[in-house]
Amino acid sequence: MIALSALVLPPLGLILLLTRPATRWYVKAGASVLILGLGIAHLFLLYGLRVELDGSSKRPFLSFYDPETHYRQLEESRKQMAAKAVEEPVQAIPVSQFAAAGADEPKPAEAPAPATVKETPKASKETPAPVRGYWTDFRGPNRDGVYSEMPVLTEWPSEGLKPAWKQPVGGGYASFVAAGGRAFTIEQRRDREVAAAYDIETGRELWTNSWPAYFRESMGGDGPRATPTWHEGRVYALGAEGEFRVIDAESGKTIWRRNILEDAGASNLQWGMAASPLIVDDKVIVLPGGRSGKSVVAYHKTTGNVVWTSLNDKQAYASPMLVTLAGVRQVLVVTASRVVGLSPEDGKLLWEYPWVTSFDVNGTQPILVDGNRFIISSGYDHGAALIEIRSSGGGLEARKIWENKNMKNRFNSSVLYQGHIYGLDEGIFTCVEVETGQRKWKGGRYGYGQVLLAGDRLIVITETGELVLIKPSPDRLQELARFEALEGKTWNNHAIENGFLLVRNATEMAAYRIAR
C-alpha cells in the first residue's frame, strides 16, 4: 500500500510511511529519502519543474514549464484567434500608406538632449493622418531605449496597470518592433522559428512566416534572440542559427532569404545570433562574425545581394547602431574584443577601441552621450568606460576619458537621462554620473531585466516579470509603482508603440496602455 501510494502520489506515501507505528526508524529514514527523490522526479517529469540559471549564471531559477502543454495552449489560442478573425476581420493597412517616423532610415543618433515629450500632431479633417511607424528598431528609433512619441502615464494605479490583452507566445528572447498598428517578433514554436505579426490593440495574430530551426542552449535558454527590424513595409527577421528573411509586413510572404552564417563561412556563437539587423540607406547590416573579412556584412535591402563585408572579428551579442561621432556618420559595432566605427558606404574601419571581456561576451548597446562621446559597458566584472572619438591625422581616433566598475551591464543596456546613466549593475539598479563615472547610488534588486526611458520616467521590467515605474534622480532610487506583468524568467526587452507598452518572455506576451 505504501509503495503504491508513493509511486502514484509521493506525499501520500510519505505520510503513510511516517504514521506507520510498526516500522523501525532507520527503515523510515531510508524509505523517506527514496520517496522524496521520487517526489522530486514527479515534479520534473509530470509537472514540468525546471531549473534554469538567472542572468548571473550562478543562481537557480525554478519554474514549472511543460513544453507540450505550453505549445498546446499556444496553438489553441491561435486557433481561436483565426476563428474570431473570420467573424471580425482586422482591416489591413496598405503598405503604400506607411509613412512618418522610421519609414525611411533610422535617424543617426546625434547627441541626445534631455528627454522631452512632444504632442502628437493632430491630423486635419481634410487629410487623413499618416500611419506611424515609431518603434521600428531594437530598443526604439535610435536603439537607445528612449520613447518620446507621446506623453505617458507618470503615475500608475496601486494595483498595477490592467493588460489590454495577454496571451501565450512562442519561446526565445526577441523583443517587438512595431508599425502601422502591428507588432512584430520572432518566436520558437516546437521545432520551427516563427516570425509573427500581431494587432497591437487586440493581440490578434495576423500572419506567421516560419522555417525549421531549433537553437538549444542549456545555460541561456532555447529559441531565437534577435529582434526583427521594420523598414518601409518590410520585416527583417534573423533566426538564432543564421536564417535571415525579409518579409512583407502586410502579407507575411518572404521577399528574399539568406543564411548569414553560411554566407560568411562562420560558426555560430555560444548563445546564437542575437544582433538585430540595421537598415542604412539601401543596405541591411548584419553581424555573422566570419573570420575571412566577413565579420560584418551589408546586403542590399531590396535584392539580398552582398554589397560589402568587413573585419575578421569574432562577433558578440550587441546590435549595430547608426550614429554620428566627430561629425562623421558611421556604423557603431561592438565585437567580442573591441568597439569600432565603420563607414556605412563600404565598411571601411574608421577607428577602434579594445574592449575585451571574460568569455568574449559583450551584450549591451553603447550609450551615445553627445556628438563625440559614448559609454560602453559589459558585465563579468569588467565595467564601463566613457570614450571620445576625435579627428586625428586626417582620420579618427578613440580616446578613453574614464573607466571603472561602477556600471557592469551584462545583457541589459542602460539609458541616459540628464547627465546620468541608469541601468542594472549585475542585476542591481544603479545611477552613474556621465562626466565623472562616479556612482551616485545603487539599489533596487531587479535581477537581469531591462530598462527603458519614457518621457521623464524609467520603466523597468524585472527578471521575474514585474513592471516597475521609477522617477529618475541622481539623489536616490524613487520607485513609484510595481506589479507583476508576466510570469516566469523575463530577459526580453520591452517596447512602446502608440502608447502601448509591449512585454514578452519565453511563454507569454501582453500589452499595457500607458499613454496619457
Side-chain angles (χ1 to χ4, degrees):
M1 181 65 179
I2 293 177
L4 180 61
S5 299
L7 285 172
V8 177
L9 191 62
L12 177 59
L14 184 61
I15 292 172
L16 293 175
L17 172 69
L18 296 177
T19 56
R20 185 177 180 181
T23 305
R24 297 180 183 275
W25 70 267
Y26 53 84
V27 175
K28 286 185 178 182
S32 296
V33 171
L34 292 176
I35 294 175
L36 287 173
L38 184 61
I40 293 172
H42 271 229
L43 291 175
F44 279 95
L45 298 175
L46 302 180
Y47 298 98
L49 177 66
R50 61 177 178 176
V51 180
E52 302 175 273
L53 294 177
D54 72 350
S56 70
S57 302
K58 298 176 181 178
R59 292 182 292 271
F61 197 104
L62 300 179
S63 64
F64 285 92
Y65 172 75
D66 176 53
E68 182 59 32
T69 299
H70 174 241
Y71 287 131
R72 285 202 303 267
Q73 291 173 343
L74 174 61
E75 288 157 2
E76 179 60 28
S77 169
R78 299 306 183 263
K79 187 184 298 183
Q80 292 175 3
M81 287 182 188
K84 189 173 182 180
V86 175
E87 301 172 3
E88 306 172 17
V90 176
Q91 184 176 359
I93 302 171
V95 174
S96 59
Q97 291 187 26
F98 283 94
D104 294 318
E105 66 176 82
K107 179 183 177 183
E110 304 284 356
T116 57
V117 178
K118 298 181 179 179
E119 295 288 343
T120 303
K122 295 182 178 180
S124 68
K125 294 182 178 180
E126 295 78 14
T127 306
V131 176
R132 292 189 61 82
Y134 180 83
W135 203 271
T136 58
D137 274 87
F138 174 58
R139 300 189 74 240
N142 294 318
R143 304 194 168 196
D144 58 1
V146 175
Y147 175 79
S148 58
E149 183 186 24
M150 61 177 60
V152 300
L153 295 172
T154 56
E155 303 290 338
W156 291 352
S158 57
E159 68 275 14
L161 301 171
K162 293 183 178 180
W165 49 262
K166 181 184 284 191
Q167 64 199 29
V169 70
Y173 298 121
S175 178
F176 292 99
V177 293
R182 297 180 175 193
F184 309 93
T185 191
I186 184 171
E187 315 165 23
Q188 188 72 49
R189 300 190 188 177
R190 297 191 185 273
D191 60 353
R192 302 181 71 83
E193 290 180 334
V194 178
Y198 296 94
D199 179 73
I200 290 178
E201 294 193 4
T202 66
R204 187 181 302 177
E205 183 181 275
L206 302 176
W207 56 252
T208 61
N209 184 307
S210 70
W211 54 90
Y214 196 171
F215 179 80
R216 291 177 170 88
E217 206 288 311
S218 60
M219 183 177 293
D222 303 338
R225 278 91 161 110
T227 298
T229 299
W230 181 94
H231 177 74
E232 293 182 345
R234 295 181 174 187
V235 176
Y236 295 76
L238 175 64
E241 297 179 329
E243 177 71 14
F244 184 34
R245 294 199 174 189
V246 180
I247 303 167
D248 181 86
E250 185 175 342
S251 68
K253 295 181 179 179
T254 301
I255 297 171
W256 59 262
R257 62 159 297 274
R258 307 290 291 256
N259 187 291
I260 67 171
L261 291 174
E262 293 175 2
D263 285 356
S267 300
N268 204 353
L269 297 175
Q270 178 182 355
W271 292 310
M273 293 284 96
S276 182
L278 175 68
I279 305 294
V280 182
D281 304 326
D282 59 352
K283 296 172 283 292
V284 53
I285 297 172
V286 293
L287 310 179
R291 296 299 183 96
S292 55
K294 297 179 181 179
S295 177
V296 183
V297 177
Y299 293 101
H300 194 282
K301 69 180 184 183
T302 303
T303 66
N305 295 329
V306 175
V307 179
W308 54 255
T309 66
S310 182
L311 305 184
N312 297 310
D313 296 47
K314 177 183 176 181
Q315 274 301 341
Y317 304 93
S319 297
M321 299 172 65
L322 179 63
V323 302
T324 297
L325 290 167
V328 179
R329 184 171 175 262
Q330 56 195 270
V331 178
L332 186 60
V333 176
V334 184
T335 77
S337 58
R338 57 180 173 166
V339 190
V340 302
L342 302 178
S343 166
E345 286 72 33
D346 56 11
K348 177 184 176 182
L349 180 65
L350 303 175
W351 57 266
E352 62 178 314
Y353 184 81
W355 193 251
V356 180
T357 62
S358 300
F359 315 111
D360 294 334
V361 177
N362 289 317
T364 62
Q365 299 303 113
I367 307 165
L368 213 65
V369 173
D370 53 35
N372 298 303
R373 301 180 298 168
F374 66 88
I375 289 175
I376 180 70
S377 179
S378 292
Y380 299 96
D381 201 39
H382 191 78
L386 177 63
I387 309 299
E388 180 184 46
I389 307 301
R390 59 185 181 180
S391 300
S392 176
L396 299 176
E397 68 173 9
R399 180 179 71 94
K400 178 179 68 179
I401 297 177
W402 57 256
E403 182 174 352
N404 59 42
K405 295 184 179 182
N406 288 336
M407 181 68 80
K408 302 178 290 296
N409 298 145
R410 185 166 291 198
F411 53 84
N412 328 88
S413 301
S414 296
V415 296
L416 171 68
Y417 181 73
Q418 294 186 349
H420 296 82
I421 57 172
Y422 297 85
L424 291 160
D425 176 27
E426 292 290 4
I428 304 176
F429 208 58
T430 302
C431 173
V432 171
E433 186 177 56
V434 168
E435 294 300 325
T436 65
Q438 177 186 357
R439 180 189 296 147
K440 306 301 291 185
W441 52 258
K442 185 173 182 177
R445 294 181 177 272
Y446 303 137
Y448 292 80
Q450 306 290 348
V451 58
L452 296 179
L453 174 68
D456 61 354
R457 292 293 186 266
L458 299 167
I459 301 176
V460 175
I461 188 160
T462 73
E463 189 173 24
T464 55
E466 291 180 299
L467 278 170
V468 184
L469 184 67
I470 296 171
K471 182 178 180 180
S473 168
D475 298 327
R476 59 186 175 89
L477 173 64
Q478 298 186 45
E479 184 177 307
L480 304 178
R482 181 201 289 230
F483 70 96
E484 183 180 279
L486 299 171
E487 293 184 4
K489 184 175 76 175
T490 303
W491 286 353
N492 310 58
N493 281 267
H494 38 325
I496 311 176
E497 171 76 9
N498 196 29
F500 282 91
L501 176 62
L502 303 168
V503 295
R504 64 158 291 194
N505 55 25
T507 57
E508 63 178 349
M509 59 192 288
Y512 294 88
R513 184 73 179 176
I514 61 168
R516 282 210 298 249

